[in-house]
Amino acid sequence: MPIPTTMRASVLTSPKTIELKEVAVPEPQPGQVLVRVTAVGVCGSDTHFYETGSIGDIVVEGPIVLGHETAGQIVAVGPGVDSSRVGTRVAVEPQTPCRKCDYCKTGRYHLCRDILFYGAWPVDGSFSEYVIVDDDFAHAVPESISDEQAALLEPLSVAVHAARRAGVKAGDKVLITGAGPIGVMNVQVARALGASEVVISDPIAHRREFALAHGADIALDPTKSGLDEYAEYFDVYIDASGNARAILPAFPAVKRGGTACLVGMGGEELNVPIAMIQHREITLTGTFRYVNTWPTAIALLASGAVDVEGIVTGRYGLEDVEESLMKAKKDPLAIKTMVIPGPQAKL
């Protein structure tokens, strides 16, 4: 199929304004591939950029295409890339590190000070028909993984990285707060790593039910029951909510010598119980995206160790990106929304 010279792209032109535009199809440069986008998951960070025009110190200074949870098929390659890659179905790792600094050279490229991220100013994301990707960050996926599942490898990678940072191991008892897509994927990754018990907490009934159907042993409603019965019970605590009201009550439930890992994006500051952390020698850590996780995430999904069936609760075309970005905020039954650039039926 010939590659067109122009494509449709949903462009954020100002906060709360997205325009469907006809733009030029980009050309892959050395070490890059051109990917025809088949599915893009909507992330909370996309919604935040849409609503406010910024996240932390990343400020949108001009028109930009959002979207970074991406699957597609390679349709062209740049100089230096093996042409046999054309036709390969891929999941996109949406970041470009400098590859030269100490962080990059020691395998911690996600901490690179000069890293660029798709859909974060000034790099266009994937709410479009085509996207440019670094060749080595366009990860081949097996035919057993669908396009939507391939797009979900990005949030699954967040969970894989969180489990590694938290040191989840066989036999661990794990507490997770927040039963959105990241929380539920953390449940499944913990299970795949051998956790003996996983408890999740979320105020939304539908999400608790979904978590129970996808690996959680117990799903608590924090508005009705606290964690008093779990005092010093969990080896690992992972927050996927970013909400201080969820995080602070969880510390007493962490064992002496346990680990608390903050994954959800919340406020700039959080008051934590320092004396408790010191006296119990609780390791408190956080995560920043992911690093070297796609091969593991692909293997978990392909083997069936992780099940993402039913996580997609809404599908939209490029003309309805604005609606897709607000779906999770307006619909309590929504879990994960997907943008399908090609012809599709709206769900």
Side-chain angles (χ1 to χ4, degrees):
M1 180 183 296
I3 301 170
T5 57
T6 63
M7 66 177 182
R8 296 183 306 150
S10 296
V11 183
L12 178 70
T13 56
S14 63
K16 296 184 178 180
T17 303
I18 286 182
E19 299 178 20
L20 184 60
K21 295 188 174 185
E22 195 77 14
V23 301
V25 173
E27 293 187 9
Q29 301 303 305
Q32 296 179 332
V33 297
L34 179 66
V35 172
R36 178 177 62 82
V37 180
T38 53
V40 191
V42 175
C43 175
S45 64
D46 297 319
T47 301
H48 199 78
F49 272 130
Y50 167 71
E51 290 189 298
T52 68
S54 66
I55 292 180
D57 59 357
I58 303 177
V59 179
V60 177
E61 299 178 8
I64 189 171
V65 178
L66 301 175
H68 58 269
E69 300 179 3
T70 313
Q73 184 176 39
I74 296 175
V75 295
V77 301
V81 179
D82 188 345
S83 61
S84 68
R85 294 218 72 196
V86 172
T88 302
R89 295 176 61 248
V90 296
V92 174
E93 182 173 348
Q95 48 190 359
T96 298
C98 77
R99 304 172 191 269
K100 298 178 181 179
C101 69
D102 288 342
Y103 294 109
C104 287
K105 289 183 176 181
T106 55
R108 297 176 294 166
Y109 57 81
H110 64 311
L111 299 180
C112 172
R113 297 182 187 277
D114 297 317
I115 197 166
L116 298 174
F117 192 75
Y118 288 45
W121 180 264
V123 182
D124 280 334
S126 307
F127 289 151
S128 58
E129 293 180 305
Y130 295 88
V131 68
I132 290 292
V133 180
D134 290 343
D135 175 46
D136 56 338
F137 279 10
H139 300 274
V141 296
E143 288 302 315
S144 62
I145 293 179
S146 70
D147 293 332
E148 290 186 359
Q149 289 174 329
L152 292 170
L153 286 165
E154 195 274 351
L156 180 55
S157 279
V158 173
V160 170
H161 184 53
R164 288 176 177 173
R165 291 285 291 163
V168 177
K169 61 186 182 301
D172 278 351
K173 297 180 178 67
V174 179
L175 170 66
I176 297 168
T177 47
I182 299 299
V184 173
M185 289 186 181
N186 268 287
V187 169
Q188 296 207 39
V189 172
R191 279 296 191 206
L193 293 175
S196 62
E197 184 177 354
V198 182
V199 175
I200 197 164
S201 174
D202 194 286
I204 300 176
H206 178 67
R207 294 195 170 195
R208 294 196 301 272
E209 293 167 3
F210 188 82
L212 287 171
H214 287 77
D217 294 291
I218 297 172
L220 301 173
D221 180 351
T223 67
K224 295 182 178 179
S225 61
L227 291 166
D228 292 346
E229 63 181 292
Y230 292 103
E232 296 191 43
Y233 185 80
F234 295 101
D235 302 283
V236 172
Y237 163 52
I238 296 174
D239 174 68
S241 73
N243 190 324
R245 290 180 296 176
I247 298 169
L248 296 180
F251 280 101
V254 181
K255 280 183 179 178
R256 296 167 187 265
T259 300
C261 182
L262 306 183
V263 181
M265 297 293 289
E268 293 293 318
E269 297 181 356
L270 176 69
N271 292 320
V272 296
I274 291 297
M276 181 184 294
I277 291 171
Q278 289 178 317
H279 295 163
R280 295 189 187 178
E281 291 198 354
I282 294 171
T283 299
L284 175 60
T285 187
T287 64
F288 184 66
R289 296 174 185 157
Y290 27 62
V291 59
N292 297 314
T293 53
W294 256 258
T296 299
I298 291 170
L300 287 172
L301 194 54
S303 69
V306 168
D307 174 22
V308 295
E309 188 68 30
I311 200 170
V312 177
T313 52
R315 297 174 179 83
Y316 295 84
L318 289 176
E319 65 277 8
D320 294 314
V321 163
E322 283 187 288
E323 186 177 349
S324 75
L325 288 167
M326 299 305 295
K327 181 68 173 177
K329 282 198 167 187
K330 294 181 177 180
D331 183 357
L333 298 182
I335 297 177
K336 170 62 72 172
T337 302
M338 197 70 62
V339 171
I340 311 296
Q344 47 84 49
K346 182 175 176 180
L347 173 65

mmCIF file of all heavy atoms in Angstrom, residues 201-205 208 219-229:
data_model
loop_
_atom_site.group_PDB
_atom_site.id
_atom_site.type_symbol
_atom_site.label_atom_id
_atom_site.label_comp_id
_atom_site.label_asym_id
_atom_site.label_seq_id
_atom_site.Cartn_x
_atom_site.Cartn_y
_atom_site.Cartn_z
ATOM 1 N N SER A 201 -7.506 -1.307 46.788
ATOM 2 C CA SER A 201 -8.476 -0.384 47.384
ATOM 3 C C SER A 201 -8.863 0.674 46.367
ATOM 4 O O SER A 201 -8.000 1.260 45.704
ATOM 5 C CB SER A 201 -7.862 0.272 48.628
ATOM 6 O OG SER A 201 -8.718 1.264 49.158
ATOM 7 N N ASP A 202 -10.178 0.905 46.236
ATOM 8 C CA ASP A 202 -10.672 1.929 45.314
ATOM 9 C C ASP A 202 -12.111 2.275 45.698
ATOM 10 O O ASP A 202 -12.893 1.368 46.032
ATOM 11 C CB ASP A 202 -10.627 1.436 43.862
ATOM 12 C CG ASP A 202 -10.792 2.562 42.855
ATOM 13 O OD1 ASP A 202 -11.928 3.065 42.693
ATOM 14 O OD2 ASP A 202 -9.779 2.941 42.234
ATOM 15 N N PRO A 203 -12.498 3.545 45.642
ATOM 16 C CA PRO A 203 -13.859 3.919 46.032
ATOM 17 C C PRO A 203 -14.925 3.597 44.987
ATOM 18 O O PRO A 203 -16.115 3.655 45.283
ATOM 19 C CB PRO A 203 -13.752 5.431 46.255
ATOM 20 C CG PRO A 203 -12.626 5.864 45.370
ATOM 21 C CD PRO A 203 -11.650 4.725 45.383
ATOM 22 N N ILE A 204 -14.526 3.265 43.748
ATOM 23 C CA ILE A 204 -15.494 3.024 42.675
ATOM 24 C C ILE A 204 -15.792 1.525 42.579
ATOM 25 O O ILE A 204 -14.895 0.721 42.326
ATOM 26 C CB ILE A 204 -14.974 3.562 41.332
ATOM 27 C CG1 ILE A 204 -14.730 5.077 41.424
ATOM 28 C CG2 ILE A 204 -15.968 3.255 40.214
ATOM 29 C CD1 ILE A 204 -14.122 5.682 40.181
ATOM 30 N N ALA A 205 -17.071 1.164 42.767
ATOM 31 C CA ALA A 205 -17.471 -0.234 42.831
ATOM 32 C C ALA A 205 -17.114 -1.000 41.566
ATOM 33 O O ALA A 205 -16.622 -2.141 41.625
ATOM 34 C CB ALA A 205 -18.976 -0.335 43.100
ATOM 35 N N ARG A 208 -13.499 -1.907 41.517
ATOM 36 C CA ARG A 208 -13.198 -2.984 42.475
ATOM 37 C C ARG A 208 -13.596 -4.336 41.888
ATOM 38 O O ARG A 208 -12.850 -5.317 41.991
ATOM 39 C CB ARG A 208 -13.923 -2.743 43.799
ATOM 40 C CG ARG A 208 -13.445 -1.523 44.559
ATOM 41 C CD ARG A 208 -13.912 -1.565 46.013
ATOM 42 N NE ARG A 208 -15.357 -1.634 46.153
ATOM 43 C CZ ARG A 208 -16.162 -0.579 46.196
ATOM 44 N NH1 ARG A 208 -15.658 0.645 46.066
ATOM 45 N NH2 ARG A 208 -17.478 -0.724 46.352
ATOM 46 N N ALA A 219 -10.926 -6.584 47.384
ATOM 47 C CA ALA A 219 -11.035 -5.212 46.906
ATOM 48 C C ALA A 219 -11.789 -4.408 47.962
ATOM 49 O O ALA A 219 -12.968 -4.657 48.218
ATOM 50 C CB ALA A 219 -11.750 -5.150 45.564
ATOM 51 N N LEU A 220 -11.111 -3.461 48.577
ATOM 52 C CA LEU A 220 -11.675 -2.677 49.663
ATOM 53 C C LEU A 220 -12.284 -1.375 49.167
ATOM 54 O O LEU A 220 -11.746 -0.744 48.239
ATOM 55 C CB LEU A 220 -10.590 -2.346 50.688
ATOM 56 C CG LEU A 220 -9.863 -3.522 51.344
ATOM 57 C CD1 LEU A 220 -8.721 -2.995 52.202
ATOM 58 C CD2 LEU A 220 -10.822 -4.361 52.162
ATOM 59 N N ASP A 221 -13.362 -0.956 49.782
ATOM 60 C CA ASP A 221 -13.945 0.354 49.557
ATOM 61 C C ASP A 221 -13.424 1.265 50.665
ATOM 62 O O ASP A 221 -13.828 1.134 51.828
ATOM 63 C CB ASP A 221 -15.476 0.281 49.608
ATOM 64 C CG ASP A 221 -16.132 1.631 49.371
ATOM 65 O OD1 ASP A 221 -15.412 2.650 49.331
ATOM 66 O OD2 ASP A 221 -17.371 1.665 49.241
ATOM 67 N N PRO A 222 -12.507 2.179 50.368
ATOM 68 C CA PRO A 222 -11.899 2.995 51.417
ATOM 69 C C PRO A 222 -12.880 3.948 52.093
ATOM 70 O O PRO A 222 -12.588 4.469 53.172
ATOM 71 C CB PRO A 222 -10.804 3.765 50.678
ATOM 72 C CG PRO A 222 -11.277 3.813 49.257
ATOM 73 C CD PRO A 222 -11.980 2.511 49.039
ATOM 74 N N THR A 223 -14.042 4.168 51.478
ATOM 75 C CA THR A 223 -15.033 5.038 52.108
ATOM 76 C C THR A 223 -15.818 4.298 53.193
ATOM 77 O O THR A 223 -16.537 4.925 53.978
ATOM 78 C CB THR A 223 -16.024 5.597 51.066
ATOM 79 O OG1 THR A 223 -16.821 4.518 50.545
ATOM 80 C CG2 THR A 223 -15.288 6.280 49.932
ATOM 81 N N LYS A 224 -15.676 2.974 53.233
ATOM 82 C CA LYS A 224 -16.440 2.189 54.205
ATOM 83 C C LYS A 224 -15.558 1.389 55.159
ATOM 84 O O LYS A 224 -15.960 1.078 56.276
ATOM 85 C CB LYS A 224 -17.393 1.235 53.468
ATOM 86 C CG LYS A 224 -18.474 1.954 52.676
ATOM 87 C CD LYS A 224 -19.405 0.960 52.009
ATOM 88 C CE LYS A 224 -20.518 1.687 51.247
ATOM 89 N NZ LYS A 224 -21.440 0.734 50.570
ATOM 90 N N SER A 225 -14.386 1.006 54.707
ATOM 91 C CA SER A 225 -13.505 0.215 55.567
ATOM 92 C C SER A 225 -12.069 0.686 55.400
ATOM 93 O O SER A 225 -11.612 0.928 54.286
ATOM 94 C CB SER A 225 -13.614 -1.274 55.225
ATOM 95 O OG SER A 225 -13.229 -1.511 53.893
ATOM 96 N N GLY A 226 -11.374 0.808 56.518
ATOM 97 C CA GLY A 226 -9.987 1.208 56.477
ATOM 98 C C GLY A 226 -9.061 0.016 56.426
ATOM 99 O O GLY A 226 -9.458 -1.103 56.095
ATOM 100 N N LEU A 227 -7.801 0.259 56.797
ATOM 101 C CA LEU A 227 -6.785 -0.787 56.739
ATOM 102 C C LEU A 227 -6.341 -1.214 58.132
ATOM 103 O O LEU A 227 -5.284 -1.825 58.282
ATOM 104 C CB LEU A 227 -5.576 -0.285 55.934
ATOM 105 C CG LEU A 227 -5.802 -0.097 54.434
ATOM 106 C CD1 LEU A 227 -4.678 0.713 53.817
ATOM 107 C CD2 LEU A 227 -5.912 -1.451 53.736
ATOM 108 N N ASP A 228 -7.154 -0.900 59.158
ATOM 109 C CA ASP A 228 -6.765 -1.205 60.535
ATOM 110 C C ASP A 228 -6.463 -2.686 60.734
ATOM 111 O O ASP A 228 -5.538 -3.053 61.470
ATOM 112 C CB ASP A 228 -7.869 -0.775 61.506
ATOM 113 C CG ASP A 228 -8.013 0.739 61.574
ATOM 114 O OD1 ASP A 228 -7.095 1.429 61.086
ATOM 115 O OD2 ASP A 228 -9.034 1.222 62.093
ATOM 116 N N GLU A 229 -7.236 -3.551 60.101
ATOM 117 C CA GLU A 229 -7.029 -4.989 60.286
ATOM 118 C C GLU A 229 -5.766 -5.487 59.600
ATOM 119 O O GLU A 229 -5.357 -6.646 59.788
ATOM 120 C CB GLU A 229 -8.226 -5.767 59.754
ATOM 121 C CG GLU A 229 -8.454 -5.610 58.255
ATOM 122 C CD GLU A 229 -9.669 -6.385 57.761
ATOM 123 O OE1 GLU A 229 -9.615 -7.629 57.791
ATOM 124 O OE2 GLU A 229 -10.656 -5.732 57.367
#
